[in-house]
Amino acid sequence: EAVEAVEAVEAVEAVEAVEAVEAAEDGATRRAETRTAGAALDDEAMVLRLDDEDEDTPAAASGPTLADARAALAAGDAARGAQLFGTLAERGDADAQAYFGYLLYQGEGIARDRAAAVTWYRRAAEQGHRDAQYNLAVAYAFGEGVAKDDAEAVQWYRRAAEQGSAVAQYSLGVSYALGEGVARDPAAAATWYQRAAEQGYPAAQYNLGHMLHAGKGVERDEAAALRWFDEAARNGHAAAQYILGAMYRAGTNVARDLDEARRWFRLAAAQGHEQARAALAALSAGG
């Protein structure tokens, strides 16, 4: 019983230790995650749209098409792909402008030039291109290719978020949670986290779980918090996996189940989560 009591205390402390969305270190970690995820999601989204382009448009007969540019990249000819995207971008095609900006940012097939990337993101963003709006926001948030400006970042996050971009919705939630570029507003943060969470964005699911657990910006609801932690964990979010493991170890809002605790700790530990590794080692030592 004494061991169980200690484990229960440890689990509660583990939850409380990571629940503060406003903590500076936690916020910095989440911002970095946003940038990494954004690049990957943006690339995928653009490629998917290019797959759907109608190649029988009038423009297709007079020069290169988006499909031609995509095919060059797929064939491994990044330089040719960048050239074609650049040509199409100059003609005013928003998809091409957004993707050309991405290639300039990455230095893929063309010399890296983040200031030029911002120029092309802006051209596409002003035409309403959702992914370009998100990438332009990221540029302002991190001061990459343009002077850092959190307020300007929020404006572009919002435009992309209102068009349904999950990563932009999540990023706007972070802005409200941390008070970056906008007045701190936990309720607004929770609203945007929920929109992203409902689209399956793991970091938003995790943050929403914390807000429901702590009653920040929303009414406290442990059952709903557990559901979102579970969703985030099943979507591969290491910190959520650790939280679930801690809950199962202590029987916090779930039936105590050490096998389930070990399963979630292992998953988190496999992603390099140090607290999960320590918790797993402690469970193993205790049998």
Side-chain angles (χ1 to χ4, degrees):
E1 292 178 354
V3 172
E4 291 178 0
V6 170
E7 289 180 340
V9 170
E10 289 176 345
V12 170
E13 290 177 346
V15 172
E16 293 177 348
V18 294
E19 74 179 7
V21 176
E22 298 89 347
E25 182 178 355
D26 193 45
T29 298
R30 294 172 193 217
R31 270 298 174 210
E33 179 182 10
T34 303
R35 183 63 191 90
T36 302
L41 287 177
D42 180 70
D43 188 25
E44 177 180 292
M46 290 186 197
V47 171
L48 288 176
R49 273 204 313 281
L50 295 178
D51 284 340
D52 293 336
E53 286 295 320
D54 183 356
E55 298 181 25
D56 295 325
T57 60
S62 60
T65 66
L66 288 170
D68 293 332
R70 174 179 57 79
L73 290 183
D77 191 345
R80 176 62 174 163
Q83 179 186 25
L84 294 176
F85 275 119
T87 297
L88 292 163
E90 290 285 1
R91 294 178 182 176
D93 186 286
D95 280 330
Q97 291 170 342
Y99 210 115
F100 189 50
Y102 179 78
L103 294 175
L104 283 161
Y105 177 88
Q106 295 290 94
E108 183 178 344
I110 192 170
R112 176 177 289 182
D113 186 337
R114 292 188 170 172
V118 168
T119 295
W120 287 109
Y121 284 154
R122 189 185 309 280
R123 291 189 186 184
E126 289 173 349
Q127 292 195 63
H129 194 285
R130 186 183 76 176
D131 299 313
Q133 290 169 343
Y134 168 75
N135 280 351
L136 183 58
V138 171
Y140 275 112
F142 286 91
E144 295 175 337
V146 68
K148 180 176 169 61
D149 187 331
D150 287 330
E152 190 71 12
V154 166
Q155 296 306 311
W156 290 108
Y157 279 140
R158 189 183 308 281
R159 293 191 192 189
E162 288 173 348
Q163 291 199 69
S165 168
V167 66
Q169 291 167 346
Y170 162 74
S171 297
L172 188 55
V174 172
S175 296
Y176 275 113
L178 300 177
E180 292 181 349
V182 68
R184 181 173 291 184
D185 186 338
T191 294
W192 287 108
Y193 285 153
Q194 178 141 4
R195 292 190 186 185
E198 289 172 350
Q199 293 197 65
Y201 198 76
Q205 294 170 336
Y206 174 73
N207 282 11
L208 182 58
H210 275 303
M211 299 195 85
L212 287 160
H213 169 77
K216 294 180 180 178
V218 290
E219 184 176 350
R220 185 170 184 172
D221 187 335
E222 293 286 4
L226 176 60
R227 286 197 303 274
W228 285 116
F229 282 139
D230 185 77
E231 286 284 339
R234 292 180 189 281
N235 283 326
H237 195 283
Q241 292 168 343
Y242 168 68
I243 290 294
L244 272 190
M247 288 181 166
Y248 277 108
R249 180 181 62 183
T252 304
N253 300 319
V254 293
R256 189 167 187 260
D257 187 333
L258 295 185
D259 287 337
E260 194 69 359
R262 287 188 184 91
R263 182 171 81 88
W264 288 113
F265 284 148
R266 285 193 187 100
L267 288 170
Q271 297 192 63
H273 195 286
E274 292 299 328
Q275 289 173 292
R277 286 176 176 170
L280 187 58
L283 275 180
S284 298

